[in-house]
Amino acid sequence: MSCSFGKKFRLTVFGQSHSKAIGAVIDGIPAGVRLDEEKIKALLSRRAPGKNAYSTKRREADEYEILSGTVDGMTCGAPLCAVIYNTDARSGDYEKLKTLPRPSHSDYAAYIKHHGFNDVRGGGNFSGRMTAPLCFAGAVAMQILESRGIYIGAHIKSIAGIEDRAFSPVDVSAAELENVKKKDFPVLDDEAGERMKAEIEKARAELDSVGGVIECAVTGLPAGIGEPMFDGVENVVSRAVFAVPAVKGIEFGLGFASSELRGSENNDPFTVSDGRVLTETNNSGGILGGITSGMPVIFRAAVKPTPSVGIEQGTVNLETNSPARLVTGGRHDPCIVPRAVPCIEAAAALAIINLM
Amino acid sequence: MSCSFGKKFRLTVFGQSHSKAIGAVIDGIPAGVRLDEEKIKALLSRRAPGKNAYSTKRREADEYEILSGTVDGMTCGAPLCAVIYNTDARSGDYEKLKTLPRPSHSDYAAYIKHHGFNDVRGGGNFSGRMTAPLCFAGAVAMQILESRGIYIGAHIKSIAGIEDRAFSPVDVSAAELENVKKKDFPVLDDEAGERMKAEIEKARAELDSVGGVIECAVTGLPAGIGEPMFDGVENVVSRAVFAVPAVKGIEFGLGFASSELRGSENNDPFTVSDGRVLTETNNSGGILGGITSGMPVIFRAAVKPTPSVGIEQGTVNLETNSPARLVTGGRHDPCIVPRAVPCIEAAAALAIINLM
Amino acid sequence: MSCSFGKKFRLTVFGQSHSKAIGAVIDGIPAGVRLDEEKIKALLSRRAPGKNAYSTKRREADEYEILSGTVDGMTCGAPLCAVIYNTDARSGDYEKLKTLPRPSHSDYAAYIKHHGFNDVRGGGNFSGRMTAPLCFAGAVAMQILESRGIYIGAHIKSIAGIEDRAFSPVDVSAAELENVKKKDFPVLDDEAGERMKAEIEKARAELDSVGGVIECAVTGLPAGIGEPMFDGVENVVSRAVFAVPAVKGIEFGLGFASSELRGSENNDPFTVSDGRVLTETNNSGGILGGITSGMPVIFRAAVKPTPSVGIEQGTVNLETNSPARLVTGGRHDPCIVPRAVPCIEAAAALAIINLM
Amino acid sequence: MSCSFGKKFRLTVFGQSHSKAIGAVIDGIPAGVRLDEEKIKALLSRRAPGKNAYSTKRREADEYEILSGTVDGMTCGAPLCAVIYNTDARSGDYEKLKTLPRPSHSDYAAYIKHHGFNDVRGGGNFSGRMTAPLCFAGAVAMQILESRGIYIGAHIKSIAGIEDRAFSPVDVSAAELENVKKKDFPVLDDEAGERMKAEIEKARAELDSVGGVIECAVTGLPAGIGEPMFDGVENVVSRAVFAVPAVKGIEFGLGFASSELRGSENNDPFTVSDGRVLTETNNSGGILGGITSGMPVIFRAAVKPTPSVGIEQGTVNLETNSPARLVTGGRHDPCIVPRAVPCIEAAAALAIINLM
């Protein structure tokens, strides 16, 4: 396993869904930063389960405790370690997973990789729960980025094909990003949001699940950030974003749509405004040659439907190597997309702070 | 800049479009491997420009010379260094780029990053030419992977929206991958290929360019490969693939399309065949929880249209900070997608060999 | 700060002397290892303070708690996190250190590095206490190494110039290494040990301190381990050993003494014994060209006298930038060498397991 | 093998003694640095063989060619690659080494590591010749450091036990460092140098060799540099210095001698001079807690006697696994210490620039 990311702001994540605790160690935070606990709690709260009808009924406080790295709430240059204790774990729900891997979950791959010694309880260290320490670290990174005028925000771009408006790629504002974060269901077009929620509820009622797309924007980034060939903005952001479980695709700027355009349509002409070099359009998503252009960085991540569904599915019994049937128990989200929104922001923050 | 990738099979790339030479250093190749020069040349040849009507007229032999790492053609455990000399460079074509950055090229971002000291000749180290050492390394990696029964191949999935057939995600074969590599225009459906070529020719005649999508498959991978949370298969493959210039998106398995499905539709039920655990479908693209499932790994990369077009575009004069007009000269591909196919394979090979 | 070491068995250390807890995260332990808690406790106990007359009177249980990485005491492939809570911290002792840095301590350098925000309580994250998580990780590494027939052990080679016997560089045995670990005062020659203890007691009585040299041996290593030019055995072991505070020098084999010999004296002739290639002498310390030779790896680390002494010393007041006098309070070891012995073993284990 | 060092100024070294070329790739040099070729040549020249009676008769121009990374002699932000072609290689001299490993050389260890496929010609990539690219990179690093007021210099501290004066640890000056670099035989006390040379000549006449100690100083370093626990100054410098073949020990400040002192003797009291915080003595070698104190960084490296001697030695025949006798042919240095002096400086420069 590889639980570390970054060189300058190095995050190490540990824990399993049902271990004593999960947590994050961050090395490289400058000394003298007063941690904004409200911001950390706000981000963790947006990720937390059990808040409403369309997420799992598991209730976890997700209250973190800082073990090291601060003196009186101020960073001291030592690695920052925060832990979240696992309290509402019902291990019994998962006993049969040892031999009956859930389709499109990590169970089978982890079983092979770890020779049957993997922790199957709640998905072990493959659980979506591991995004809580990611969000902790992302919130700390965001606080530091914001002190430099850089803001990161995301919204649900679509669920089950129902589309929200897109951020404006040329002039999405920090205020707009902050605004959508405050919503219980983070969409720009609340009417579209209502239709999405209805679709989630329908899937839930049918013991099924739905997926979606998350759009993320980073504003205030200066031009000139990124270390191509292998650590350009796309390389680093994509590596971070695929750490969020269920993400199966990422695109920057127009992304896949640009593959259908002519160069003359897709290119972003330069212009000057108030003495600043800008581009008239931003089909590049704020990235040229792997380096920021000074325009907003825009990307979208595809989230597959939650693989945990209440409908009977085909699996194999790993002890007998014979076909079997499985109905997944436990408490699961019919749609993970809303809770994944702050995770995508956190991954982006982690990537961006390491690029600077 | 960050020109290195990988820990086990560590590639370092150097060079600029018009420097004396470009090259690759590979550390971590086992001693005792006889380099298959035919395979290396074949991959480089598929990437090479000037072969036909739809690629740039620049002619470069792309002949490599091995400076170190072998004794009598056999690796000796020392780092393998190969260089390709730059011979057909016409630097004069690029003089004005210093002050007039080409839209949607790296010029402006590199200018800011390197405070005006960047090498503008031919795009410097942002040039697509830097994929030649990547292909050299990829060919070496592929040779080692093939000795373990692992095959990598890619084809043009679409150009300007014209679609080729897809690889079968459950039973694409090594033979099929080898077969499409032999084609001058690597598509599965040659009739679709003819329509793509016509579209490229049309764009060329109109001094414009087109983009496309490349689909890549990896067969023969055992289950259990991948190091989540941050070095799972998607994390590492995406980081490598975004090193290929013009790639703006990547998706694994069904990718973005899975975001519109129900979980019950998207999940891949397990089954047993000849005692082996398989999945009936492979919407996951051979990756569960960041780890290989034993099914083919399938991904697609979106390639934007070549930003170099012969049509006049808006830019800014970086000396005077005022608007300007630009017609890009030089010799360029109206469609980079066919030449990018082996680059995507090489990036995949580099990622996979480092995951093993 | 840089709190991580290694690629295969990656250790991340966190905590300060007076933070809520200190701890270690280890990524890369194979799944299916039953942690030998007795061995872990034994190593931690050898490092623990307060055991006898010649160490600090601080009493810390150094009891660790495993937060993640195991299921029923068996590793599961997820990162292993263990914490040790700080219980016997008297922060008040250290208040004045903020402005009056202790000579030859990290105080001043940390103050400058962290712009005055460093944690001065007990030396913060520069405290010798941070070797407790190092010892935890070392004990886990040693357990894995021992399962492959590799043993690591160290003894006090000298204190204040009083010399113990040396390990035999050609045939030091695992049994000999285990034997000296059991001693309360780990020397080979107990009579020399008595004289050392008397010298420590004398220094203590005079409010002063003494240093020494630790010799460490690794047996059972196969030939062929090490990754020169930059990750040969000496490179990696030295990098790890200098993580132990107060170490100011390291030498392999004859080390500095070899600089006074002729090549014909220093060279180790090869020989064959029972079909195995050996060297008749082992002045190279088991390392040829940065790679193991199959002979025992032998090195020595120089430990400076504890900088905390009860004698008044010159310092500066960092607020007023004027000369000042300081008598260090707190509870300190008159000789850190005995407690550093297991730390050197742990650092060696961490290095060796990452080289394999 | 592991041929890369550093994160910010990342050096990758390639080549073997008898490969087509050896070379260095450096990633992370800022754009806009005009390479000072005189300084590079001067450092390479001090390392070059064949200059005088006490070094090997091999003559190599060590002329480098820059393949990439510059435009008109100025760095452009792309990786800098320089190669040195191997011209005076007599491979025939080394044929028998394949089966008869030279005592205390890398031959046997490399044979085992690389399963007999290692390049035995001239020691392959274990050759001292690989320090030429290290010196190239070190010279570039030193140029950048000097532009910030940081100077690095070394001298022969002893040969065969004959001692030179030491640098003053508190006030060694940049001028003094530059001065000793100009000497053909770099010692502070030329009379001691004459005795050393006589001792080398005596060893040469007796077909034997001698070793020595090199002392290196870094001046002008600000306080606060270094990333403990694992990337403190000692960790990083030692890792770099052990890349120089034949180095078997390193000590910082008083090093091993401090182990015989009382704390009250070894501690460096702080003082104030012209408003600057200094230490009255510098037994710590300019490093406190792994971080620079602002005083000169001082270390010494022990260099073993050249293992190549003309005297018959015992070895084994690796084909027959039976004892054999060997007289090493080829052209060798009776004392490598003078040529190692610039290599130690280069390793220090590489370490220091990565710490900043």
Side-chain angles (χ1 to χ4, degrees):
Chain A
M1 308 301 291
S2 180
C3 67
S4 293
F5 186 94
K7 290 179 183 166
K8 295 172 193 165
F9 182 99
R10 183 167 191 89
L11 170 65
T12 298
V13 170
F14 59 88
Q16 302 116 256
S17 184
H18 291 55
S19 62
K20 171 118 189 159
I22 61 178
V25 181
I26 312 171
D27 198 8
I29 305 179
V33 173
R34 181 162 298 286
L35 291 184
D36 186 333
E37 306 232 2
E38 286 315 304
K39 286 201 171 160
I40 297 170
K41 283 175 186 166
L43 194 75
L44 284 171
S45 162
R46 291 165 60 211
R47 194 213 71 89
K51 290 184 308 184
N52 47 38
Y54 47 85
S55 76
T56 170
K57 291 204 176 53
R58 260 182 90 164
R59 283 212 153 271
E60 283 154 351
D62 278 359
E63 279 170 17
Y64 64 89
E65 179 176 39
I66 289 178
L67 295 187
S68 71
T70 56
V71 176
D72 300 335
M74 184 97 80
T75 59
C76 65
L80 178 67
C81 178
V83 294
I84 299 170
Y85 294 96
N86 286 322
T87 51
D88 182 31
R90 301 186 195 169
S91 296
D93 290 6
Y94 298 94
E95 269 310 296
K96 64 183 169 189
L97 299 182
K98 195 102 198 184
T99 46
L100 298 179
R102 294 168 296 174
S104 294
H105 265 282
S106 63
D107 304 344
Y108 172 68
Y111 178 90
I112 298 296
K113 179 174 184 61
H114 296 310
H115 312 290
F117 294 108
N118 58 308
D119 186 354
V120 293
R121 302 167 303 165
N125 58 320
F126 297 88
S127 167
R129 181 146 177 75
M130 297 312 298
T131 56
L134 177 68
C135 283
F136 172 85
V140 174
M142 265 186 254
Q143 171 186 349
I144 296 170
L145 291 170
E146 287 176 10
S147 72
R148 302 184 199 172
I150 299 164
Y151 289 82
I152 298 176
H155 70 112
I156 301 172
K157 180 64 181 59
S158 72
I159 279 179
I162 301 166
E163 291 278 334
D164 188 21
R165 281 204 317 270
F167 284 137
S168 162
V170 290
D171 55 14
V172 56
S173 68
E176 195 174 353
L177 301 181
E178 291 310 299
N179 196 43
V180 74
K181 285 184 190 177
K182 290 179 190 144
K183 297 187 180 186
D184 181 53
F185 195 83
V187 287
L188 302 180
D189 173 353
D190 293 331
E191 186 277 325
E194 289 306 314
R195 284 183 288 134
M196 292 177 191
K197 285 194 266 187
E199 193 66 26
I200 296 172
E201 176 52 30
K202 191 161 163 244
R204 196 194 57 73
E206 296 171 13
L207 305 176
D208 214 336
S209 65
V210 287
V213 172
I214 293 168
E215 183 181 56
C216 185
V218 187
T219 68
L221 269 174
I225 308 295
E227 303 291 333
M229 175 164 187
F230 293 110
D231 287 317
V233 178
E234 290 108 334
N235 309 255
V236 176
V237 170
S238 65
R239 186 182 162 216
V241 165
F242 280 115
V244 179
V247 172
K248 295 300 281 186
I250 190 168
E251 58 180 5
F252 296 84
L254 283 192
F256 279 87
S258 73
S259 76
E260 304 189 15
L261 296 184
R262 286 287 182 89
S264 59
E265 296 169 310
N266 188 62
N267 284 357
D268 299 313
F270 288 105
T271 183
V272 177
S273 171
D274 288 337
R276 254 188 85 214
V277 175
L278 305 173
T279 57
E280 290 175 22
T281 51
N282 185 17
N283 297 333
S284 302
I287 309 164
L288 297 174
I291 299 174
T292 54
S293 68
M295 299 296 289
V297 165
I298 308 272
F299 70 89
R300 279 171 302 283
V303 179
K304 72 176 185 181
T306 323
S308 297
V309 295
I311 299 166
E312 191 182 84
Q313 302 176 85
T315 184
V316 290
N317 184 315
L318 293 174
E319 278 182 358
T320 62
N321 223 24
S322 58
R325 303 295 293 171
L326 177 73
V327 177
T328 307
R331 298 154 293 167
H332 302 288
D333 292 324
C335 182
I336 201 74
V337 179
R339 292 179 57 204
V341 168
C343 303
I344 296 295
E345 293 171 2
L350 184 62
I352 296 293
I353 203 166
N354 273 294
L355 282 163
M356 303 208 48
Chain B
M1 310 299 292
S2 179
C3 67
S4 293
F5 187 95
K7 289 177 184 168
K8 294 173 193 165
F9 182 98
R10 183 167 191 88
L11 170 64
T12 298
V13 171
F14 59 87
Q16 302 117 257
S17 185
H18 290 55
S19 63
K20 171 120 190 157
I22 61 179
V25 181
I26 311 171
D27 198 9
I29 306 179
V33 173
R34 181 161 299 288
L35 291 185
D36 187 332
E37 306 232 1
E38 286 315 305
K39 286 199 171 161
I40 297 170
K41 284 176 185 166
L43 194 75
L44 283 173
S45 161
R46 289 166 60 211
R47 194 213 71 90
K51 291 184 307 184
N52 47 37
Y54 47 86
S55 75
T56 171
K57 291 201 174 55
R58 261 182 89 164
R59 283 212 152 273
E60 284 154 349
D62 278 358
E63 279 170 16
Y64 64 89
E65 180 178 38
I66 290 178
L67 295 188
S68 72
T70 57
V71 176
D72 301 334
M74 185 97 82
T75 60
C76 66
L80 178 66
C81 178
V83 293
I84 300 170
Y85 293 96
N86 285 322
T87 50
D88 183 31
R90 301 187 196 168
S91 295
D93 290 7
Y94 298 93
E95 270 308 298
K96 64 184 169 189
L97 299 182
K98 196 103 198 181
T99 46
L100 297 179
R102 293 168 296 175
S104 293
H105 265 282
S106 63
D107 304 344
Y108 172 68
Y111 178 91
I112 298 296
K113 181 174 181 62
H114 296 310
H115 312 292
F117 294 108
N118 58 307
D119 186 354
V120 293
R121 301 168 303 166
N125 58 319
F126 297 87
S127 167
R129 181 146 178 72
M130 297 312 300
T131 55
L134 177 68
C135 282
F136 173 85
V140 174
M142 266 187 253
Q143 172 187 347
I144 295 170
L145 291 170
E146 288 176 11
S147 72
R148 302 183 198 172
I150 298 163
Y151 289 82
I152 297 175
H155 69 111
I156 301 172
K157 180 65 181 56
S158 72
I159 280 179
I162 301 166
E163 292 277 335
D164 188 21
R165 281 205 318 269
F167 286 137
S168 162
V170 290
D171 56 13
V172 57
S173 68
E176 195 174 353
L177 300 181
E178 292 310 300
N179 196 44
V180 73
K181 285 183 190 179
K182 290 180 190 144
K183 296 188 181 185
D184 180 52
F185 195 84
V187 286
L188 302 179
D189 174 352
D190 292 331
E191 186 276 325
E194 290 307 314
R195 283 184 288 132
M196 292 177 192
K197 283 194 267 187
E199 192 67 26
I200 296 172
E201 176 52 30
K202 190 160 162 249
R204 195 196 57 72
E206 296 171 12
L207 305 178
D208 214 336
S209 66
V210 288
V213 172
I214 293 168
E215 183 181 56
C216 184
V218 187
T219 70
L221 269 173
I225 307 295
E227 303 291 334
M229 177 165 185
F230 293 109
D231 288 316
V233 179
E234 290 108 334
N235 308 256
V236 176
V237 170
S238 65
R239 187 183 161 212
V241 165
F242 279 116
V244 179
V247 172
K248 294 302 282 186
I250 190 167
E251 58 181 5
F252 296 84
L254 282 192
F256 279 87
S258 73
S259 76
E260 304 189 15
L261 297 184
R262 287 285 183 89
S264 59
E265 296 169 310
N266 187 62
N267 284 357
D268 300 312
F270 289 105
T271 183
V272 177
S273 171
D274 290 336
R276 253 189 86 212
V277 175
L278 304 173
T279 57
E280 290 175 24
T281 50
N282 185 17
N283 297 333
S284 302
I287 308 164
L288 297 174
I291 299 174
T292 55
S293 67
M295 299 296 288
V297 165
I298 307 274
F299 69 90
R300 279 171 304 283
V303 179
K304 72 175 183 181
T306 323
S308 298
V309 295
I311 298 167
E312 193 182 83
Q313 300 177 85
T315 185
V316 290
N317 183 314
L318 294 174
E319 278 182 358
T320 61
N321 223 25
S322 58
R325 303 295 293 171
L326 176 74
V327 178
T328 308
R331 298 154 294 169
H332 302 289
D333 291 324
C335 182
I336 201 73
V337 179
R339 292 179 56 204
V341 168
C343 303
I344 296 295
E345 293 171 1
L350 184 63
I352 296 294
I353 203 166
N354 273 293
L355 282 164
M356 302 202 53
Chain C
M1 308 302 292
S2 180
C3 66
S4 293
F5 186 96
K7 290 179 183 167
K8 294 172 192 164
F9 182 99
R10 182 167 192 89
L11 170 64
T12 298
V13 171
F14 59 87
Q16 302 118 255
S17 184
H18 291 55
S19 62
K20 171 121 189 157
I22 60 177
V25 181
I26 311 172
D27 198 9
I29 305 179
V33 173
R34 181 162 297 287
L35 291 185
D36 187 332
E37 306 232 2
E38 287 315 306
K39 286 201 171 161
I40 297 170
K41 284 175 185 165
L43 194 74
L44 283 173
S45 161
R46 291 166 59 213
R47 193 213 72 90
K51 290 184 307 185
N52 47 37
Y54 48 86
S55 74
T56 169
K57 290 203 174 57
R58 262 182 88 164
R59 282 211 153 273
E60 285 154 348
D62 278 358
E63 279 170 16
Y64 64 89
E65 179 177 39
I66 290 178
L67 295 188
S68 72
T70 57
V71 177
D72 300 334
M74 184 97 80
T75 60
C76 66
L80 178 67
C81 178
V83 293
I84 299 170
Y85 293 96
N86 285 323
T87 51
D88 182 29
R90 301 188 197 167
S91 296
D93 290 7
Y94 298 94
E95 270 309 297
K96 64 182 169 189
L97 299 183
K98 196 103 198 180
T99 45
L100 297 179
R102 294 168 296 175
S104 294
H105 266 283
S106 62
D107 304 344
Y108 172 69
Y111 178 91
I112 297 295
K113 180 174 182 63
H114 296 310
H115 312 291
F117 294 108
N118 58 308
D119 186 354
V120 294
R121 303 167 302 166
N125 58 319
F126 297 87
S127 166
R129 182 146 177 72
M130 297 312 300
T131 56
L134 177 68
C135 282
F136 173 85
V140 174
M142 265 187 253
Q143 172 187 348
I144 296 171
L145 291 170
E146 287 176 11
S147 72
R148 302 182 199 173
I150 298 163
Y151 289 82
I152 297 174
H155 69 111
I156 300 172
K157 179 65 181 55
S158 72
I159 279 178
I162 301 166
E163 292 277 333
D164 188 21
R165 280 205 316 271
F167 285 137
S168 161
V170 291
D171 57 13
V172 56
S173 68
E176 195 175 353
L177 301 181
E178 292 310 301
N179 198 44
V180 74
K181 286 184 191 179
K182 290 179 190 142
K183 297 187 181 186
D184 181 53
F185 195 84
V187 287
L188 302 179
D189 174 353
D190 292 331
E191 186 276 325
E194 290 307 314
R195 284 184 286 132
M196 292 178 193
K197 284 194 268 187
E199 192 67 25
I200 296 171
E201 177 52 29
K202 190 161 163 246
R204 196 195 57 71
E206 297 170 11
L207 305 177
D208 214 337
S209 65
V210 286
V213 172
I214 293 168
E215 183 180 56
C216 184
V218 187
T219 69
L221 269 174
I225 307 295
E227 303 291 333
M229 175 166 188
F230 293 109
D231 288 317
V233 178
E234 290 110 333
N235 308 257
V236 176
V237 169
S238 66
R239 187 182 161 214
V241 165
F242 280 115
V244 179
V247 173
K248 296 300 283 186
I250 190 167
E251 59 180 5
F252 296 84
L254 283 192
F256 279 86
S258 74
S259 75
E260 304 189 14
L261 296 184
R262 286 286 182 90
S264 59
E265 297 168 311
N266 187 62
N267 285 355
D268 299 313
F270 289 105
T271 182
V272 177
S273 171
D274 289 336
R276 253 189 86 213
V277 174
L278 305 174
T279 56
E280 290 175 23
T281 51
N282 185 18
N283 298 333
S284 302
I287 308 164
L288 297 174
I291 299 174
T292 54
S293 68
M295 298 297 288
V297 165
I298 308 272
F299 69 89
R300 279 171 303 284
V303 179
K304 72 176 183 181
T306 323
S308 298
V309 294
I311 299 167
E312 192 183 83
Q313 300 177 85
T315 184
V316 290
N317 184 315
L318 293 175
E319 278 181 358
T320 60
N321 224 24
S322 58
R325 304 294 293 171
L326 177 74
V327 178
T328 307
R331 298 153 292 169
H332 302 289
D333 292 324
C335 183
I336 201 72
V337 180
R339 292 179 57 204
V341 168
C343 303
I344 295 295
E345 293 171 1
L350 184 63
I352 295 294
I353 202 166
N354 273 294
L355 282 164
M356 304 207 47
Chain D
M1 310 299 292
S2 181
C3 67
S4 293
F5 187 95
K7 289 178 182 167
K8 294 173 193 164
F9 182 99
R10 183 166 191 89
L11 171 63
T12 298
V13 170
F14 59 87
Q16 302 116 256
S17 185
H18 291 54
S19 62
K20 171 120 189 158
I22 60 178
V25 181
I26 311 171
D27 199 7
I29 306 179
V33 173
R34 182 162 297 288
L35 291 184
D36 186 333
E37 306 233 1
E38 286 314 305
K39 285 200 171 161
I40 298 171
K41 283 176 186 165
L43 194 76
L44 284 172
S45 162
R46 290 166 59 210
R47 194 212 72 90
K51 290 186 306 185
N52 47 38
Y54 48 84
S55 76
T56 170
K57 291 204 176 54
R58 261 181 90 165
R59 283 211 152 272
E60 284 153 349
D62 277 359
E63 280 170 15
Y64 65 89
E65 179 176 41
I66 289 178
L67 295 187
S68 72
T70 56
V71 176
D72 300 334
M74 185 96 82
T75 60
C76 65
L80 179 67
C81 178
V83 294
I84 299 170
Y85 293 95
N86 286 322
T87 51
D88 183 31
R90 302 189 196 166
S91 295
D93 289 5
Y94 298 94
E95 269 311 297
K96 66 183 169 189
L97 299 182
K98 196 101 199 181
T99 46
L100 296 180
R102 294 168 296 175
S104 294
H105 266 282
S106 63
D107 304 345
Y108 172 69
Y111 178 90
I112 297 296
K113 179 173 184 62
H114 296 310
H115 311 291
F117 293 108
N118 58 308
D119 186 354
V120 293
R121 302 168 303 165
N125 57 320
F126 297 88
S127 167
R129 182 147 177 72
M130 297 312 298
T131 54
L134 177 68
C135 282
F136 172 85
V140 174
M142 265 187 253
Q143 171 187 348
I144 296 170
L145 291 170
E146 288 176 10
S147 72
R148 302 183 198 172
I150 298 163
Y151 289 82
I152 297 175
H155 70 112
I156 301 171
K157 180 65 181 57
S158 72
I159 279 179
I162 302 166
E163 292 277 334
D164 188 21
R165 281 206 315 271
F167 284 137
S168 161
V170 289
D171 55 13
V172 56
S173 68
E176 194 174 353
L177 300 181
E178 291 311 300
N179 197 44
V180 74
K181 286 185 190 178
K182 290 180 189 142
K183 297 188 182 186
D184 182 52
F185 195 83
V187 285
L188 302 179
D189 173 353
D190 293 331
E191 186 276 326
E194 290 307 315
R195 282 183 289 132
M196 292 178 191
K197 284 194 267 188
E199 192 66 25
I200 296 172
E201 176 52 29
K202 190 160 164 246
R204 195 195 59 71
E206 295 171 14
L207 305 177
D208 214 336
S209 65
V210 286
V213 172
I214 293 168
E215 183 180 55
C216 184
V218 187
T219 69
L221 269 173
I225 307 294
E227 304 291 333
M229 178 163 186
F230 293 110
D231 288 315
V233 178
E234 290 109 334
N235 308 257
V236 177
V237 169
S238 65
R239 187 183 161 212
V241 165
F242 279 115
V244 179
V247 172
K248 296 300 282 186
I250 190 168
E251 59 180 4
F252 294 84
L254 283 192
F256 279 87
S258 73
S259 76
E260 304 188 16
L261 297 184
R262 286 285 182 92
S264 59
E265 296 168 310
N266 187 61
N267 285 357
D268 300 311
F270 288 104
T271 184
V272 178
S273 170
D274 288 337
R276 254 188 85 213
V277 174
L278 304 174
T279 57
E280 289 174 24
T281 51
N282 185 17
N283 298 333
S284 302
I287 309 165
L288 297 175
I291 299 174
T292 54
S293 68
M295 299 296 289
V297 165
I298 307 273
F299 70 89
R300 279 171 302 284
V303 179
K304 73 176 183 180
T306 323
S308 298
V309 294
I311 298 166
E312 192 181 85
Q313 301 176 84
T315 183
V316 290
N317 183 316
L318 294 175
E319 277 182 358
T320 62
N321 225 22
S322 57
R325 302 295 292 172
L326 176 73
V327 178
T328 307
R331 297 155 294 168
H332 301 289
D333 291 323
C335 181
I336 201 72
V337 180
R339 291 180 57 204
V341 168
C343 304
I344 296 295
E345 293 171 1
L350 185 62
I352 296 292
I353 203 167
N354 273 293
L355 283 164
M356 304 206 48

